[in-house]
Amino acid sequence: MSYTLHYLESSAARQGPEISVLVNCLLQDAIRLGASDLHIEPWEETIAVRARVNGVLTEVVHLPLGLMEKISARFKVLANLPTYQTGLPLDGKILCGPELDHVQVRLSIFPTTRGEKIVLRLFDPQDRRFDLDELGFDPDTLHGLKRLLRRTSGLLLFTGPTGSGKTTAMYSALCHIVQREGSAVSISTVEDPVEFNLPRVSQTQINPAQDFTYATALRSILRQDPQVIMVGEIRDAETAAIAVQAGLTGHLVISTIHAGVSAGAFTRLIHMEIEPFMLASSVLGVMGLRLVRRVCPQCARPYEPEPSVLKVVPEEWRPHARFRRGTGCEHCRQTGYSGRMPVCELLVVTEPFREAVLKRLPTSALEEIAVQNGMRTLWQNGLQAALQGQTTLEEVVRMVAASIL
């Protein structure tokens, strides 16, 4: 039973729950489930509380609709936000105490027609070790990424949807450089927001309300004598132009950009009016990332996927397949999955690929050339993970195929 349900059924809550205790119970439930996000949303007749666990939203509890304003006010107090403001979006941070394992919470409150919707993003500092070797990358990808991180200039990009592990990968890359170079390297970041404080790294959070944007910060940071620069996201043409220029002038720039596949990053940057010859000269590589749920090791059993799903697997691969899925147990809370693992593709820019970029070839042609030069695609690596029984074929179709087609 959840902490929230247990409290609501206790004698202490029968005369009306104490909101501070109820909010603590909600946070404890999210922590117990290992949730990345907690959604508290007024529905037609109840407050729906849902947790995002391993990338999937699951219902935790339903609360009386009349508690919404009190719960919202309590979270505002915890985040030092004005409790009287109800018609505008609000963002804040909550630093939990030892009773909640010192978890850090990013709070977002958004007005809806039924009341304020609350979304909490949870970060556990004790559970975050930014170690490239521990992220679960396959040996070839890990070796290729480390080779790129030895370069002293150029642009290294990460692509993928929200929640695909891009920030963790970038933080781990920075920590790898710090461990390798020690105090001999100067690293600066520009982020929105700064999610974790990294050792020996100068981190800056942008503030668009005061016109402190990615482009403004990046332009100024170049005067700080950095060797490595991390930009949280390339969102606009101005930021893209400065990042590319920085990569050409003796800085290693690490950033993210939204694109379906790695090769799509070049098309996206060209649409931002970055000249192809500058991209061909500055971009070192692009890593595409997805996170798929890992089969629970405690209840994993062999299985045969449905024919409609199995048809995505090439005939010649099927005899070697070891498909597995979890049947559900206490360890995985009856889901059949326990934790997540990365599926990735690393596009290393080679001379043939540079020539293709200069010719402004479409994304599909760029991807084909990258494959010819040794890149394994997201889809190929996802299928490989399913064939080895690390995840299910259905999960790969859901998370990888749907996002690249």
Side-chain angles (χ1 to χ4, degrees), residues 42-349:
W43 284 3
E44 290 84 352
E45 298 177 353
T46 63
I47 301 169
V49 180
R50 297 177 293 169
R52 189 173 296 281
V53 181
N54 293 331
V56 178
L57 272 179
T58 56
E59 291 191 11
V60 178
V61 68
H62 285 262
L63 302 174
L65 199 56
L67 295 177
M68 192 67 234
E69 287 187 14
K70 295 179 180 178
I71 292 173
S72 179
R74 177 58 183 167
F75 276 115
K76 289 176 185 177
V77 169
L78 292 174
N80 293 317
L81 296 172
T83 57
Y84 58 83
Q85 203 165 57
T86 57
L88 294 172
L90 293 172
D91 296 293
K93 289 184 178 181
I94 301 171
L95 300 178
C96 300
E99 72 281 2
L100 293 170
D101 301 331
H102 299 285
V103 165
Q104 299 172 9
V105 178
R106 195 165 77 220
L107 171 70
S108 173
I109 299 178
F110 196 82
T112 74
T113 55
R114 298 193 185 98
E116 292 180 311
K117 178 182 178 180
I118 301 167
V119 176
L120 310 167
R121 171 64 59 91
L122 289 87
F123 304 97
D124 186 355
Q126 299 174 357
D127 191 43
R128 287 297 182 100
R129 296 175 297 276
F130 298 110
D131 186 343
L132 276 181
D133 295 321
E134 299 297 325
L135 293 185
F137 295 146
D138 64 87
D140 291 341
T141 298
L142 182 62
H143 177 70
L145 180 58
K146 286 183 175 180
R147 282 187 61 187
L148 292 179
L149 292 173
R150 285 195 170 273
R151 302 287 290 272
T152 56
S153 65
L155 188 59
L156 173 60
L157 297 171
F158 291 84
T159 72
T162 301
S164 60
K166 299 188 299 296
T167 300
T168 298
M170 289 198 300
Y171 277 3
S172 298
L174 295 183
C175 289
H176 173 76
I177 294 171
V178 168
Q179 291 169 1
R180 189 186 69 214
E181 304 293 339
S183 60
V185 64
S186 171
I187 303 177
S188 295
T189 76
V190 184
E191 306 173 58
D192 182 27
V194 174
E195 295 187 359
F196 286 94
N197 293 318
L198 301 176
R200 303 183 190 178
V201 176
S202 298
Q203 295 173 269
T204 301
Q205 183 164 318
I206 67 170
N207 186 353
Q210 295 185 355
D211 202 30
F212 187 45
T213 62
Y214 273 123
T216 303
L218 189 52
R219 193 179 293 109
S220 297
I221 224 168
L222 290 172
R223 295 191 286 270
Q224 291 279 307
D225 188 31
Q227 292 158 276
V228 180
I229 303 170
M230 187 195 103
V231 183
E233 183 182 350
I234 294 178
R235 297 176 178 171
D236 54 68
E238 188 179 8
T239 305
I242 300 169
V244 168
Q245 190 62 42
L248 288 170
T249 55
H251 306 85
L252 176 61
V253 181
I254 301 172
S255 188
T256 71
I257 189 167
H258 283 288
V261 293
S262 297
F266 294 86
T267 307
R268 179 85 192 278
L269 287 167
I270 288 173
H271 286 163
M272 290 182 180
E273 299 183 353
I274 305 299
E275 291 294 337
F277 75 89
M278 295 186 71
L279 290 180
S281 303
S282 64
V283 180
L284 303 173
V286 185
M287 174 176 272
L289 280 168
R290 301 291 186 277
L291 290 176
V292 298
R293 291 180 292 174
R294 192 188 296 271
V295 170
C296 175
Q298 304 295 326
C299 61
R301 300 289 185 274
Y303 85 109
E304 184 72 15
E306 294 290 332
S308 59
V309 181
L310 190 60
K311 67 181 181 182
V312 303
V313 181
E315 288 280 354
E316 63 272 18
W317 291 16
R318 295 179 190 178
H320 308 289
R322 292 184 290 113
F323 295 115
R324 296 196 311 158
R325 70 178 171 193
T327 57
C329 64
E330 289 186 6
H331 177 76
C332 63
R333 299 184 179 90
Q334 307 304 321
T335 64
Y337 297 97
S338 178
R340 290 189 289 178
M341 60 176 288
V343 171
C344 52
E345 63 181 14
L346 181 61
L347 190 165
V348 178
V349 176

